[in-house]
Amino acid sequence: MKPIQMVDLKGQYLRAKTEIDAAIQHVLESAHFIQGESVALFENNLSQYTGSKHVISCGNGTDALIAALMAIEIGPGDEIITTPFTFIATVEAIVLVGAKPVLVDVDEETFNLNPALLEKALSPNTKAVIPVHLFGQCADMSPILEIAKEHRLKVIEDACQAIGTEYTFPDGTVKQAGTMGDIGCISFFPSKNLGGYGDGGALMTDNDFLANRLKSICRHGSSERYKHDLIGFNSRLDTIQAAILNVKLNYLNEYIKARQQAAKFYKSELCKLNWLKLPSSVPYSTHTCHQFTVRILNGNRDKLKSYLKEKGIPSAVYYPCPVHLQTAYKFLNHRAGDFPVCEQLSQEVLSLPMHTELSTEQLQYICQSIVNSPL
Ligand SMILES: *Cc1c(COP(=O)(O)O)cnc(C)c1O
């Protein structure tokens, strides 16, 4: 059996090596490293794939979040609602544009923003909500969008972990993660479901006005060379990354299927354990399994993690410390107990190896090791 990895980027590369190498070679020979033809091509392809009218590529997912907040003119005095159970970039972006993050606890089943707690967090200064589609499952967007509409809030989706995830509205309409709010943010960090071979990101919107602002903001506030109408910054997707992503986008549905198959295997083998809670399925969202995150209910999460490590099985804790308890965010004046669901999850969650190259033999070994764990 091959050694088990948390993610296997090399194995995935080798399967598309010929195409990817050719795509990179093509860019090298064109020497068009910034905004080469692959960039616009990728933006078009992603727009087709997601159904978003506009796709604006940028340097990474964090920049996408910052650009989105800049595009809707967020600044000092504004409050933006999001959750404390996310990758730090979501909250960091809010602080970096000078606004105040207002945190709302998550739903215990989905780890996503709990819409029932949203209204209590509103103030006259609230300008926007950033739901995070954590681990590849959509937050419950229908009630979030309703509340946002009622209170004239913008919705920026942090879809960095959820490209290709589908949300079904109560009327049956299906939309992809990142295409439901005003602006959606995507990351192409190598380990994401659609990963480049370096940093990369994208913004999605159906709004022509916002699309133009976003395009300009990511290019020094300029729509015409040396004419600057907005304060922007420099955030671009490298041509080489775009060329790689163009190849990999063709495989995205296959990648998602492979992840879902691994998840199915985990579920069928681990469902009998009463001390382990499997990730929940919800009727309104597909799960593209960016992470396969279980909860260890007997208090032995860290012991199980060490035991698995001894068996050659890597695992990870996303996220061990909620945002509101991080040193850098002390100024928000939160304390332990403020977001009890999120805090409990941070003690219980464990993400198992999840990628496109897991073999049945490896999955079997991981599951058997967990089932037979002496804990
Ligand atoms: C990865 C990620 C980001 C940031 O993306 P980068 O491309 O690494 O900057 C933001 N939010 C979430 C939820 C993420 O998982």
Side-chain angles (χ1 to χ4, degrees), residues 60-62 65 86-87 89-90 132 158 160-161 187 189 192 200 319:
N60 55 67
T62 308
L65 287 160
T86 180
F87 179 57
T90 320
V132 182
D158 184 340
C160 286
Q161 299 186 4
S187 164
F189 185 80
K192 300 279 156 93
Y319 297 91

Side-chain angles (χ1 to χ4, degrees), residues 134-287:
L134 205 67
F135 302 152
Q137 191 177 46
C138 284
D140 196 358
M141 289 302 286
S142 180
I144 293 171
L145 290 168
E146 239 165 75
I147 294 166
K149 192 173 173 194
E150 190 183 329
H151 297 274
R152 297 212 181 91
L153 310 175
K154 294 275 193 268
V155 176
I156 295 171
E157 296 173 71
D158 184 340
C160 286
Q161 299 186 4
I163 189 166
T165 308
E166 287 178 340
Y167 182 89
T168 305
F169 284 86
D171 69 359
T173 313
V174 177
K175 283 194 178 183
Q176 276 202 23
T179 70
M180 295 176 271
D182 296 280
I183 302 173
C185 303
I186 299 270
S187 164
F188 306 118
F189 185 80
S191 63
K192 300 279 156 93
N193 286 17
L194 179 62
Y197 294 160
D199 279 310
L203 290 137
M204 305 198 288
T205 183
D206 282 346
N207 180 310
D208 299 343
F209 174 75
L210 288 178
N212 281 330
R213 277 184 70 87
L214 289 168
K215 239 178 267 177
S216 166
I217 285 165
C218 292
R219 286 152 193 72
H220 298 295
S222 160
S223 48
E224 213 178 293
R225 211 167 192 195
Y226 302 123
K227 189 166 173 295
H228 305 276
D229 299 323
L230 298 172
I231 307 281
F233 61 132
N234 174 17
S235 186
R236 295 180 287 226
L237 183 68
D238 290 349
T239 312
I240 287 181
Q241 297 306 332
I244 293 162
L245 291 166
N246 264 324
V247 173
K248 292 188 74 180
L249 183 58
N250 291 325
Y251 293 98
L252 180 56
N253 286 342
E254 234 174 83
Y255 292 159
I256 291 171
K257 243 182 236 143
R259 288 175 176 273
Q260 288 170 334
Q261 230 132 40
K264 200 171 153 194
F265 193 100
Y266 277 134
K267 283 186 172 183
S268 68
E269 297 294 308
L270 302 178
C271 63
K272 47 201 166 212
L273 302 174
N274 60 9
W275 49 268
L276 180 149
K277 190 171 183 320
L278 292 166
S280 305
S281 324
V282 290
Y284 55 76
S285 174
T286 61
H287 205 314

